[in-house]
Amino acid sequence: MAAKVRKIAFEEHYTAVGFKDYTKSFSQHIDPAVFADLAKRLEDFDEVRLREMDEAGIDYVILSQTGPGVQAEPDAAVALSRARQNNDFLASQVERHPKRYGGFAVLPMHDPKTAADELERCVRHYGFKGSLVNGHTNGRYYDDPAYDAFWERMQDLDVPMYLHPVDPYVIPHAYTGHPELVGASWGWGVETASHALRLLFGGVFDRFPRLKLILGHMGEGLPFQRWRFDSRFAVYSHGITLQRAPSEYIGSNIVITTSGVCSPHALMGAIAEMGPEAVMFSVDYPYESTATAARFIEEAPMDAQTREMVCHGNARRLFKL
């Protein structure tokens, strides 16, 4: 293995009291014994997590509530209450290990102003580094013009949002009889990439040009379609106008992590498409192996400067560490 490079990771999950009922939609498809181990890791802040970080050369992680979180809560008032409780709990854990942990806010996106207020509370009061939102909220997507109030506040706070996968609101007919396509193997990536494209083609990044949206899993496939977005949008714009070519938002407003895709070929392709400043290391703990992710990023065929940017330099800049 190549010499260890210091790392920052930020698709690293935990869970808090009262959130296990939301995770049933995920956990029901995982072998019970496997999920029991995952549950222990999600609840741990001191033993296994820190040891694995040390072994992998990960100096700092930004923690986020595992999905689907309050995005699956139908009652807006309950969502706000649970989000606030969760964020207070996370702040207490970060306070215990401030040099190792940061926090992403849980946001009740049922109401744009309420979500903006909670984001501001977490950033200003707790020093959280942004938010992680588990996709749509009960079928509502954030290109809805009502969310401009949220995006404006987020831009003013100058923190990013990590848009994390979730099940589609309506399961596509193409997945019928193939439950393996609905979740992490395929459907989550399609759902999350589609949500990001709704924001892009909906003009959110034109109205709020300093926004940063993070996509995991090597960008949910978007880096590899940049050329085609430009080519086909020029023919099939359906009257939509953008200030820039679609590809130009992917790598500037939309940045990505390597979480859950430990492929050197995919990594080098993403860097070639987006530039080394738009690609960052992450693990997707505890659902992926920290050791595997560390070995992958240390052995990928990058020059030393690019490796340092991807492993920690870009994250330090994005999160002002």
Side-chain angles (χ1 to χ4, degrees):
M1 183 185 291
K4 269 190 170 55
V5 177
R6 309 317 302 175
K7 304 171 192 71
I8 294 169
F10 50 97
E11 191 184 328
E12 319 309 318
H13 303 299
Y14 72 96
T15 195
V17 174
F19 273 71
K20 288 184 179 178
D21 50 341
Y22 295 133
T23 64
K24 288 176 184 175
S25 62
F26 289 3
S27 62
Q28 64 182 330
H29 303 300
I30 301 175
D31 178 88
V34 173
F35 191 76
D37 178 65
L38 290 173
K40 289 180 181 178
R41 291 168 179 267
L42 287 166
E43 294 171 359
D44 167 68
F45 294 88
D46 299 293
E47 301 296 333
V48 177
R49 190 186 298 267
L50 286 172
R51 184 178 71 247
E52 290 195 13
M53 288 170 59
D54 290 341
E55 291 172 350
I58 299 173
D59 292 330
Y60 185 82
V61 302
I62 301 175
L63 298 169
S64 55
Q65 170 63 241
T66 194
V70 298
Q71 271 64 69
E73 172 55 56
D75 187 304
V78 173
L80 173 59
S81 175
R82 286 196 164 188
R84 289 179 68 93
Q85 291 170 5
N86 183 94
N87 292 327
D88 293 346
F89 170 81
L90 177 57
S92 70
Q93 299 302 318
V94 171
E95 188 177 22
R96 294 171 56 242
H97 299 286
K99 293 183 178 180
R100 307 304 303 275
Y101 296 152
F104 275 148
V106 172
L107 296 182
M109 297 294 286
H110 306 62
D111 175 75
K113 183 182 182 301
T114 300
D117 288 347
E118 182 60 10
L119 176 63
E120 183 163 2
R121 183 181 81 93
C122 290
V123 171
R124 297 199 186 282
H125 187 61
Y126 289 138
F128 280 12
K129 305 305 181 185
S131 64
L132 183 142
V133 172
N134 291 289
H136 62 82
T137 295
N138 300 312
R140 194 176 184 192
Y141 292 87
Y142 312 134
D143 59 312
D144 183 326
Y147 282 95
D148 278 7
F150 171 82
W151 296 122
E152 182 177 21
R153 188 91 63 89
M154 179 176 141
Q155 179 172 261
D156 289 344
L157 290 167
D158 195 23
V159 293
M161 174 191 283
Y162 204 122
L163 188 65
H164 187 270
V166 73
D167 285 343
Y169 185 60
V170 177
I171 305 300
H173 178 66
Y175 300 167
T176 302
H178 286 273
E180 74 280 4
L181 297 179
V182 177
S185 297
W186 178 250
W188 286 356
V190 174
E191 167 68 23
T192 307
S194 298
H195 196 160
L197 290 175
R198 288 182 66 117
L199 301 177
L200 191 165
F201 288 111
V204 171
F205 302 127
D206 285 345
R207 296 192 295 279
F208 306 101
R210 291 187 288 108
L211 289 182
K212 284 288 192 293
L213 186 77
I214 306 166
L215 298 179
H217 317 109
M218 212 65 77
E220 313 292 3
L222 291 187
F224 310 102
Q225 294 293 320
R226 290 174 72 248
W227 189 93
R228 184 162 177 81
F229 292 143
D230 290 351
S231 169
R232 295 303 87 198
F233 183 64
V235 179
Y236 303 111
S237 70
H238 297 280
I240 295 171
T241 58
L242 294 173
Q243 294 175 8
R244 295 183 284 162
S247 64
E248 294 182 39
Y249 300 88
I250 302 172
S252 56
N253 298 103
I254 297 173
V255 295
I256 73 168
T257 78
T258 64
S259 65
V261 180
C262 296
S263 163
H265 306 293
L267 172 62
M268 300 317 294
I271 291 172
E273 279 289 340
M274 303 175 68
E277 68 284 346
V279 182
M280 291 166 281
F281 170 77
S282 282
V283 176
D284 202 353
Y285 182 91
Y287 302 102
E288 298 285 353
S289 163
T290 302
T292 298
R295 187 180 310 111
F296 145 71
I297 207 68
E298 288 166 3
E299 296 180 349
M302 295 179 283
D303 61 69
Q305 181 180 0
T306 300
R307 197 182 317 277
E308 290 188 359
M309 291 173 68
V310 171
C311 285
H312 63 87
N314 294 332
R316 290 187 189 280
R317 184 184 72 253
L318 178 63
F319 299 111
K320 307 177 191 63
L321 299 176

